[in-house]
Amino acid sequence: MKSILIVGASNAGKSTTAYEICSQLKPNKVYRLNITNETLIESELKAIFNNTFIIEVNGKFILIVAGATTEQGFFITVIVEVCIKLKIDISFALVSMRCFEKKKGFKTKAQLSTISEIVAIEKISKISGDFKNSIEWKNRIEKIVKKIVENL
């Protein structure tokens, strides 16, 4: 599995970025991964925000950790283990992470690197104003989508 890590402060736009990337990838199906109950629940694209999802794009499954692991309270290794238990063959992972992980035991980058080849680390910050029409926003989304498509 390959992955991209999106790193940003609280309210930097990690989840909004994940949603827009998913929109651009045009998934055939969207599921929410209930980590506690180890279940997969059918969902929809507009629900992608501050949670963990699986999207299917051209027959391949992409893990979307839209909310930072520390915010969700689950290590990335636990999230991937749930996917394995559910027999979901993850081709790629898009993982959100806070700049500074203060919760005990959280080392998302290090943990992710043990189970995945991290092909990019995108450090993001909040874009002011009408961000969806800004060049910075469009470049951010385009760059990440291109990396995912190249590595699927």
Side-chain angles (χ1 to χ4, degrees), residues 8 14 49 55 106 121 128 138:
K14 297 179 296 294
F49 193 80
I55 63 170
F106 278 85
I121 298 172
S128 302
K138 289 175 183 174

Side-chain angles (χ1 to χ4, degrees), residues 1-4 93 111-118:
M1 171 176 69
K2 293 183 178 181
S3 61
I4 291 177
Q111 292 168 346
L112 184 61
S113 69
T114 67
I115 56 174
S116 170
E117 177 190 342
I118 301 173

Side-chain angles (χ1 to χ4, degrees), residues 7-9 11-13 17 122-128 136-137 140:
V7 182
N11 298 315
T17 298
E122 293 295 324
K123 293 184 179 177
I124 67 167
S125 55
K126 189 172 185 169
I127 302 170
S128 302
E136 183 181 355
W137 174 255
R140 173 192 296 175

